[in-house]
Amino acid sequence: ISRVWRHESPQKGRYREFWQCDVDIVGSKSMLADAEIIAVIFECLKELGFKEFTIRINNRKLLSAIVQVAGVEKEKVVQAFRAIDKLEKIGTEGVKKELKERGINDIAINKILELISVEGSPEETLERVEKLVENNKEGMEGIKELKQLISYLPSFNINENFYKIDLSLVRGLDYYTGPIFETVITKPRIGSITGGGRFDDLIGMFVGERIPACGTTVGLDRI
């Protein structure tokens, strides 16, 4: 738990200097680590008295596959991510416009928006999207990771009413390599309050060897 800083346009609940709690697991490739991070989020919010919230879960590998299957060239995938990440702020039409400005054609744009809107129980969502990315190795890795992750959550006594697979979730930072998650408080409506995911390559940028890791932040000022 410490103070952190970011370049930000100050607004309600978002400051340039703020307090943040971080929880990380370093050294494990297992999806059990990711599930434990989600369990920490669940228990923290329950202990703090929040009764209505949703832990949104996605996977950057799967999202990359979805964008490519829709017809976006691999070198433009990150550009597409940045546009999709603004969905809640600027809406569907805003995302369409931004994707177009980033050089993505109308057919691909409509396909992306169709695919990321697939909904249902976690199992139903993964089953439907698996058929669409079955020829994409990266996408199938993402599906496998999410299936494993979801299978562990009951062991932590996490009620399935409190999490969902949300294929529109991006998490803006480019260092995420697998599962990503973000919690939205629905009552009171204060928006995102935790965010994180798996970042297996980030530590290696500084130490010269690949060290798997995953974690989450919990926004103390927001709470």
Side-chain angles (χ1 to χ4, degrees):
I1 301 176
S2 186
R3 285 187 301 172
V4 292
W5 294 264
R6 65 181 166 202
H7 178 65
E8 182 64 81
S9 299
Q11 54 192 286
K12 185 178 180 181
R14 289 184 76 83
Y15 315 114
R16 287 184 174 175
E17 178 184 340
F18 57 102
W19 284 83
Q20 187 162 283
C21 313
D22 285 339
V23 186
D24 299 285
I25 296 176
V26 177
S28 174
K29 294 178 182 177
S30 171
M31 290 297 106
L32 190 56
D34 303 67
E36 188 169 353
I37 293 293
I38 290 172
V40 169
I41 295 167
F42 180 75
E43 286 187 32
C44 282
L45 296 182
K46 278 291 187 182
E47 285 290 321
L48 288 165
F50 291 105
K51 293 181 172 61
E52 294 185 30
F53 59 87
T54 302
I55 303 169
R56 303 163 66 205
I57 304 169
N58 199 6
N59 190 298
R60 287 295 278 265
K61 292 174 184 172
L62 177 55
L63 190 59
S64 175
I66 286 171
V67 170
Q68 290 177 68
V69 165
V72 176
E73 301 94 329
K74 197 157 190 176
E75 59 270 19
K76 288 185 179 177
V77 165
V78 173
Q79 295 286 324
F81 282 178
R82 287 179 182 149
I84 298 165
D85 194 36
K86 297 177 183 178
L87 185 61
E88 286 196 353
K89 287 182 182 176
I90 63 177
T92 302
E93 290 305 314
V95 170
K96 278 184 179 180
K97 183 182 175 188
E98 185 143 339
L99 286 168
K100 202 162 188 173
E101 287 171 355
R102 292 175 185 271
I104 296 168
N105 66 64
D106 288 341
I107 294 172
I109 290 170
N110 290 330
K111 192 68 176 171
I112 288 169
L113 292 169
E114 179 191 338
L115 294 177
I116 64 174
S117 65
V118 170
E119 287 188 332
S121 70
E123 293 78 14
E124 288 168 348
T125 301
L126 291 176
E127 188 179 330
R128 286 177 65 187
V129 80
E130 183 174 1
K131 293 171 184 173
L132 302 168
V133 300
E134 61 186 357
N135 296 319
N136 184 292
K137 183 185 175 188
E138 187 179 24
M140 291 307 291
E141 282 178 13
I143 291 279
K144 182 181 176 184
E145 288 176 355
L146 285 177
K147 282 183 175 180
Q148 289 178 348
L149 172 57
I150 295 300
S151 75
Y152 291 133
L153 296 183
S155 303
F156 290 101
N157 297 317
I158 302 175
N159 188 311
E160 63 180 21
N161 293 326
F162 288 92
Y163 64 86
K164 71 172 184 176
I165 299 293
D166 186 338
L167 299 174
S168 69
L169 178 64
V170 176
R171 300 284 308 150
L173 299 168
D174 292 342
Y175 56 66
Y176 289 120
T177 57
I180 48 177
F181 18 87
E182 183 173 293
T183 310
V184 176
I185 306 294
T186 49
K187 190 176 181 179
R189 293 194 72 82
I190 52 175
S192 174
I193 205 167
T194 81
R198 178 160 285 275
F199 47 98
D200 286 346
D201 297 329
L202 185 61
I203 298 172
M205 289 168 60
F206 302 97
V207 300
E209 62 176 300
R210 197 168 198 254
I211 298 177
C214 63
T216 189
T217 61
V218 179
L220 198 57
D221 287 299
R222 275 275 170 104
I223 290 168

